[in-house]
Amino acid sequence: MRDIASILPLSVDRVSFTGEGRKLVDVVSFAVPAGGLTVLLGPNGAGKSLTLRLCHGLLKPSAGEIAWANGAAGRVKRHAMVFQKPIMLRRSVEANIAHALAAAGISGIERRQRCGAALDRFGLGERAAQPARLLSGGEQQRLAIARAWALRPELLFLDEPTSQLDPAATRQIEELLSGLVAEGITVMMSTHDLGQAKRLANRVLFLHRGRLVEDRPAADFFAGPLAPEARAFLAGELIW
Amino acid sequence: MDFGAIFQAAFALMVGLDPAFLAIVGLSLRVTLTAVLIAALIGLPLGAALALARFPGRAVVIVCLNALMGLPPVVAGLVVFLLLSRSGPLGPLGLLFTPTAMIVAQVILVVPIVIALTRQIVEDLWAEYRDHLRSVGLEGLRAIPTLLWDGRFALATALLAGFGRASAEVGAVLIVGGNIAGYTRTMTTAITLETSKGDLPLALGLGLVLIALTLAINAIAFGASRIGARYAG
Amino acid sequence: MTAIDRRLLLAAGFYAGLAGLALAQAPAAAPPATTAAPGETRFITVSSTTSTQDSGLFGHILPLFKAKTGIEVRVISQGTGQALDTGRRGDADVVFVHARAQELKFVEEGFSLERKPVMYNDFVLIGPKGDPAGIAGTKDIAAALVKVQERAAPFVSRGDKSGTHIAELALWKVAGVDIEAKKGPWYREIGQGMGAALNSANAMGAYVLSDRGTWLSFKNRGDLVISVEGDKRLFNQYGVMSVNPAKHPHVKFDDGKLFVDWLTSPEGQKAIADYKIDGQQLFFPNAQQAGA
């Protein structure tokens, strides 16, 4: 599957999304090339989560276009998503991973191998037979990432993956994400945690009220954002 | 009323293992369990589909199904009776006054319960799972197996509710079965008969046996789902 | 195709198979056989009254018939009116009830070729020991009913168009009481079978007309006793008819006729006479009595 043309860069072209009569995402355009970790930054209600869902295909844009480099993404997606609150099936840790693989059409020996690899890679081997819903919050998010990783995505979306975790679990997840980037997986995540954005991001997309107000390399953005909203956000002033 | 006589009658029935009594218990279980199985085969997928589908008139369908949960057994029995009577549209099948007719009537009573409860359970589960299932490409019909499997312990309760309704009802099986001794006589129709013969201790004794059976089946199902839930979270 | 799709396909196949099975079953279940295929239970369906069932008569005579002929008799016990309707719809092969006029009408309508008298028992007026109408031990049923009505003593009526109900209405007429006009809260129509009526009478301390057979085998008597018996007008005749195959070609006419013939044969008549509760004979065979 790796030898076929890459789905990246992803191009988001003048995409809007209207809900409840309001423009929740307002003519947003950007591209995601292969590699690196892009952070969607912004206060609550900026449209970060919606943008991720639009990219992943969970929502249809009201206007504009989302295109993958290889044209139609094909039957099997090569991008995966991890949600703010981990969605754990009422099954064992291993069965959670196996289920996602089955849904992607992977069966037999390959499914078992990929399951085993994901459990090892994310340190869940000992938990394999336990009910997923009895794991701690941090472990659940780790399983959610392992489950997504087993699908071998080129691009991984994460929606505020650590907002419900304690600092120790947060650090663990952040290390995992750095590892994924090092492995060559392109990561795009939303957060409203400035420190996290500083620690992880190569690039920042700053959203405010559904509009993309700044799109710059992370170092430049944190050195001195251009948009007044971004400056206010960095200064810790709540803006809505 | 002599309560000692009631317990004595119930005890004698359970210990005596009279073949006629065992045949009645066997038929009751066979008819009701078959009806619940068929209702599950019909109701689980339909209920799940109803949970996921969005179509005009869906609310009307849901309200109707909820109302059908309260369908008087006598009415269900009468409808099946009129259908299966030799003078009715399905008369040539010759099914009236047979255990098959009783199963048909009970399926009609149980299916709305299974569909309505399945819809509720699957809809709640779908609300929780939706993002992830859609993310891995399971939408519409393709999501149903996952939802039914993960909801299996809650769904077992729905089937138990159906079992309770079927095993407790007398109106429908009396009309379509005819309470024929040794052929279509169930626990509930036997209770009706013994009551009309004025043998109230025997009638109540039969009732106690029925309650004990229902209790046993519920206890088994509860225990099984408890143990299962421990392994599935 | 993914594993989930395969599972869906499997499920679809399973349901298609089930539907196929059901369809294959339908014609198999539909032989309009008048006699059972070898290996199958040979049976006839008889619609009869609650009194024959509740009194236990069938439990006594049907095993004898089965031992002789190998035919199982499946009895649906209903009120006489309903039992006749079951025959009219073709849902029974034989009708065995007790309401002579209605039986003759059944034959007249062509639903049966012939009605045969089988046996009789008698009705008894049951009432509470306290005897609020003051009729205990009398023999004149007409006079007794008049007193019940005059004193508005509680009276339970079957109210279900059964043979007993029809007999009760006829007795009111004989007594010269227009029950439709005179009935009040004391006259309670329960619309249920004989046993239920006796249970109700026991609970309400009411009078009730019952066939003697059901009364003798009834166990929940409480304070109830026989108030009036022995009047010739309390006579209760049973008749049997097999359903006319010209009306309903599927009925098991031959096996039904075997049952009718056996009931009215010396052997069947003796079986009926032999049925006793506490030494008391419940039914009196009279198949040979002309005009019964």
Side-chain angles (χ1 to χ4, degrees), chain C residues 25-82:
Chain C
Q25 286 286 314
T34 46
T35 46
E40 262 173 50
T41 318
R42 191 171 163 201
F43 71 91
I44 56 170
T45 306
V46 174
S47 68
S48 186
T49 65
T50 50
S51 53
T52 42
Q53 167 105 326
D54 291 0
S55 65
L57 174 70
F58 280 136
H60 174 71
I61 64 169
L62 295 185
L64 297 173
F65 177 67
K66 180 162 188 193
K68 182 175 168 79
T69 60
I71 300 172
E72 182 181 305
V73 179
R74 293 180 179 167
V75 180
I76 323 289
S77 90
Q78 302 167 319
T80 289
Q82 204 187 347

Side-chain angles (χ1 to χ4, degrees), chain A residues 53 56 58 75 77 81 83 87-91 99-100 103 131 133 147 151, chain B residues 125 128-129 131-136 138 142 146 149-150 152 230-233:
Chain A
R53 281 158 192 266
H56 189 47
L58 295 181
R75 194 43 203 82
K77 282 186 194 172
M81 185 153 177
F83 299 91
I87 299 171
M88 299 283 104
L89 303 186
R90 287 160 175 74
R91 306 175 185 216
H99 175 268
R133 290 157 61 85
R147 193 168 60 184
L151 296 169
Chain B
L125 205 54
E128 183 189 330
Y129 281 10
D131 283 340
H132 174 62
L133 292 189
R134 293 187 61 210
S135 171
V136 297
L138 299 181
R142 303 182 74 237
T146 303
W149 179 251
D150 279 40
R152 61 197 178 279
R230 197 174 306 152
Y231 289 104

Side-chain angles (χ1 to χ4, degrees), chain A residues 67-83:
Chain A
W68 301 92
N70 66 340
R75 194 43 203 82
V76 178
K77 282 186 194 172
R78 279 147 69 194
H79 48 103
M81 185 153 177
V82 169
F83 299 91

